[in-house]
Amino acid sequence: MELLEQRILDEGIVLPGNVLKVDSFLNHQIDPKLSMAMGKELVRLFDGTKIDRVLTVEASGIAIGLTTAFVLGVPLVFARKKASVLMTEPVYMEKVYSYTKKESAEITVLQKFLPAGENVLLVDDFLANGEAALGMARIVEKAGSEVVGIGIAIEKSFQNGHKRILDAGYHLEALASVASLDDGKVTFVR
Ligand code: 5GP
């Protein structure tokens, strides 16, 4: 997606440890117009797939998850990363190692928001080693539903997640695929 790639080139900052900082439009400040364009593009990429629900992880997946779900006309559910006193009912929980926080978190979804027998699209802001996406996929499968796709805003194709997700047999689409962050420079897959 050219619009997203241009924003990454204009505003992205490469941090040590192969981390791309895009907090001016995706990870802290959010650009609603760009988020809507990303949601529309994800829906186009999964055209022909029946989708009943979108699942993402708080916090940075929510903007793009919301626009995707809005365009599809289906609910968005976000997994929480921290236990909440509001979660007094049965939950699905999976341990996920965070690439940026360097610690494990238990991502949690109330069971009532993931009914069985649905087709679920997973959405996230970044794909690195695939921990978050595969954790969400385990939750959907525990719930008795099917993961019909994984839609990512920015995937770092040189890390493990891309291969792990394809090896597991999921349909993966990314709006921008980064081939390298070497020498502080963003290069896209062509
Ligand atoms: P994974 O679970 O695939 O290893 O990592 C993806 C998760 O870690 C995303 O939900 C995202 O929040 C975070 N993440 C991984 N790599 C990056 C990165 O380069 N930049 C930012 N901003 N977040 C990242």
Side-chain angles (χ1 to χ4, degrees), residues 147-165:
V147 175
V148 291
I150 300 180
I152 301 289
I154 305 172
E155 71 164 5
K156 294 180 288 180
S157 312
F158 57 94
Q159 294 180 325
N160 289 333
H162 181 95
K163 184 173 185 306
R164 284 177 79 193
I165 284 173

Side-chain angles (χ1 to χ4, degrees), residues 1-8 11 22 24-26 30-41 63-64 67 154 175:
M1 184 183 178
E2 215 179 307
L3 192 62
L4 176 59
E5 289 187 0
Q6 196 54 53
R7 290 293 289 269
I8 295 169
E11 297 169 41
V22 283
S24 60
F25 61 87
L26 187 64
I30 289 172
D31 180 333
K33 259 196 183 160
L34 178 66
S35 303
M36 185 52 88
M38 291 196 286
K40 281 188 181 154
E41 180 61 6
I64 173 182
T67 57
I154 305 172
L175 301 178

